[in-house]
Amino acid sequence: MTTVSPTVADAQAAPTAKSRNPSLDRARTFLTLVVLLHHAVIPYTYFGHTDPKSFFGFDMIVLATDSFFMAMFFFLSGLFAWSGIARKGPRSYLADRLLRLGLPFVICAFTVIPLAYYAISLRHHPELGFSDYWWNMVTRDPWPSGPIWFLWVLFAFDLIACLLYRLSPNLLDPINRLSLHGRRRPAVFFAVMLAVTAAFYVPGLVHYGHSNWFEFGPFSVQHGRVMLYASYFFFGAGIGIANIDRGLLAADGRMSKVSWDWMVLAIVPYCLLWGLIFVKRQVLGNPTPLPDWYEAIYAVCFTIFSVAIMFLILAYFLRFRHSGPSMLLDPMQSDAYGMFLVHYPIALWLQYWLFDYDLPAIVKAGVGFVLTVAFSWGITRALRQIPGAGKVL
């Protein structure tokens, strides 16, 4: 079955066409564009200032996107995991996931990722040839994974889900019942999910901090966020066990009718995050490591914002399922996963090309984003014409 979205490299043991929810498809495609936007603007920020030009508005974008989009990817991926395992059986399901996630991870680790980071290396070592750079990366030097870390972590969650399913197929039923209750009272589901994700994330961030990564070859993930991602994935899996269109994500449910509430719940902690960033820079002087109290408060605000913005996005696409985003996002759905896989070197090489131009940061980022979308979409369309590629892309 054709992948409908990237986040969906995600966990697409895809549902049957009859049960497709176009709101979720569009949310996935939207998140793919958010990923491309994130990577297009990050060089022009305080967070990742690799270009002499910068724009504070991009810092606002990066703080927001980094706080929710990968967690939401795992949530949407989990929606079809448990039902996929039940339908196919654990062994067949894992074989499918190995094809959809494992194969792209290996191919990208040896091709897409070296090609992407070579653009950065050339800025410091213009005499370095690509073959030498590639060999050093895969044999001796650090082997960054870029955005494809998502694939192996998602496969690990799928593997754990299969093991848990073998242990008890009814293990996640309480989440499904909570989802059914959430059709009328989504605030209850929100509160439970917030409490659980905070319980997993806050201790991890306090212990590991923001920048501590597990790294082994191309396998990498932030220590402090692994359990946060796992909680999102399994909340999604619980919702997707059954009755997905009669629970929290029902098209006529209460969730889509209270979108202003989710907006307030997202804006308040987001503003608090900026207040904490100001304290860190101006009052604390960017100490390393940060005090535990700071990390704890930051983690709580981060968690509230992350859950709230996800609910806001889902509510928006549920509410406007027959209008608005469909014209732009629907044609891109079947290519979104491929765009997620191939966009990174395109984004970095465009930034390399734009580096020496004396242009405003907004212009550079705008050109980079538009061309990254166009080229990654076109390349994905071409790749999907290769016999057998459709099974993966």
Side-chain angles (χ1 to χ4, degrees):
M1 191 168 196
T2 306
T3 309
V4 68
S5 223
T7 190
V8 176
D10 84 316
Q12 233 56 40
T16 61
K18 184 178 179 180
S19 64
R20 278 232 95 87
N21 187 328
S23 299
L24 298 180
D25 289 339
R26 290 163 190 158
R28 294 188 193 97
T29 308
F30 168 76
L31 282 182
T32 303
L33 294 178
V34 171
V35 171
L36 272 60
L37 177 65
H38 179 90
H39 290 141
V41 305
I42 200 168
Y44 314 107
T45 65
Y46 179 94
F47 298 105
H49 201 170
T50 56
D51 190 281
K53 302 292 185 177
S54 64
F55 173 56
F56 178 71
F58 294 153
D59 290 78
M60 299 178 69
I61 291 173
V62 169
L63 177 65
T65 55
D66 181 64
S67 300
F68 82 91
F69 67 162
M70 297 313 299
M72 188 172 177
F73 273 163
F74 284 108
F75 174 85
L76 292 173
S77 300
L79 286 173
F80 306 110
W82 209 260
S83 59
I85 297 168
R87 186 172 66 254
K88 298 181 179 182
R91 182 171 299 181
S92 178
Y93 178 81
L94 279 180
D96 178 68
R97 304 314 289 150
L98 195 61
L99 177 66
R100 296 287 296 280
L101 300 173
L103 181 60
F105 177 81
V106 172
I107 292 174
C108 289
F110 282 94
T111 58
V112 170
I113 294 305
L115 186 61
Y117 283 97
Y118 181 54
I120 297 176
S121 182
L122 277 183
R123 181 58 55 185
H124 305 287
H125 307 285
E127 76 289 348
L128 183 63
F130 178 72
S131 59
D132 292 333
Y133 174 80
W134 183 91
W135 181 251
N136 287 334
M137 172 180 283
V138 302
T139 58
R140 293 195 298 273
D141 289 346
W143 192 347
S145 62
I148 67 166
W149 66 265
F150 170 74
L151 303 182
W152 83 266
V153 176
L154 179 56
F155 181 79
F157 291 164
D158 282 324
L159 176 60
I160 294 170
C162 288
L163 295 174
L164 293 176
Y165 183 87
R166 292 291 296 269
L167 180 67
S168 173
N170 301 320
L171 190 64
L172 300 184
D173 283 1
I175 297 177
N176 193 259
R177 290 194 292 270
L178 186 64
S179 171
L180 293 175
H181 183 69
R183 177 172 183 162
R184 298 186 309 276
R185 299 185 64 188
V188 175
F189 193 100
F190 175 89
V192 173
M193 186 172 179
L194 176 60
V196 172
T197 54
F200 280 119
Y201 177 60
V202 175
L205 183 67
V206 170
H207 181 73
Y208 290 108
H210 291 274
S211 57
N212 195 304
W213 284 69
F214 162 80
E215 293 179 315
F216 180 75
F219 298 91
S220 63
V221 66
Q222 279 177 284
H223 279 121
R225 294 191 184 182
V226 172
M227 295 306 296
L228 174 75
Y229 297 147
S231 64
Y232 272 76
F233 176 84
F234 284 103
F235 265 103
I239 293 173
I241 290 174
N243 303 311
I244 192 171
D245 288 328
R246 289 189 286 169
L248 179 74
L249 302 179
D252 58 348
R254 173 103 179 124
M255 181 173 174
S256 64
K257 297 177 174 61
V258 291
S259 53
W260 285 106
D261 302 59
W262 308 128
M263 184 175 294
V264 172
L265 281 169
I267 290 175
V268 171
Y270 177 76
C271 293
L272 291 175
L273 286 173
W274 272 111
L276 288 168
I277 291 172
F278 176 81
V279 168
K280 179 182 70 172
R281 295 178 186 172
Q282 303 299 325
V283 178
L284 299 179
N286 288 329
T288 304
L290 287 162
D292 286 349
W293 64 264
Y294 179 94
E295 295 282 27
I297 296 173
Y298 189 96
V300 170
C301 294
F302 178 103
T303 309
I304 298 171
F305 173 75
S306 181
V307 180
I309 194 68
M310 184 181 77
F311 271 55
L312 175 61
I313 292 170
L314 291 172
Y316 172 80
F317 283 104
L318 287 168
R319 186 168 189 169
F320 297 103
R321 60 192 178 277
H322 298 308
S323 61
S326 60
M327 185 176 297
L328 173 64
L329 298 177
D330 288 354
M332 200 177 288
Q333 284 179 19
S334 59
D335 300 304
Y337 180 31
M339 293 171 65
F340 175 84
L341 294 176
V342 305
H343 82 277
Y344 202 48
I346 298 170
L348 266 59
W349 277 98
L350 285 170
Q351 290 158 16
Y352 174 83
W353 170 64
L354 290 166
F355 185 87
D356 293 323
Y357 285 88
D358 187 20
L359 297 170
I362 294 178
V363 174
K364 288 187 174 184
V367 171
F369 175 65
V370 171
L371 293 181
T372 299
V373 172
F375 289 149
S376 59
W377 194 1
I379 290 172
T380 300
R381 279 287 173 96
L383 289 174
R384 292 180 63 229
Q385 304 308 310
I386 299 173
K391 293 182 179 180
V392 178
L393 300 178

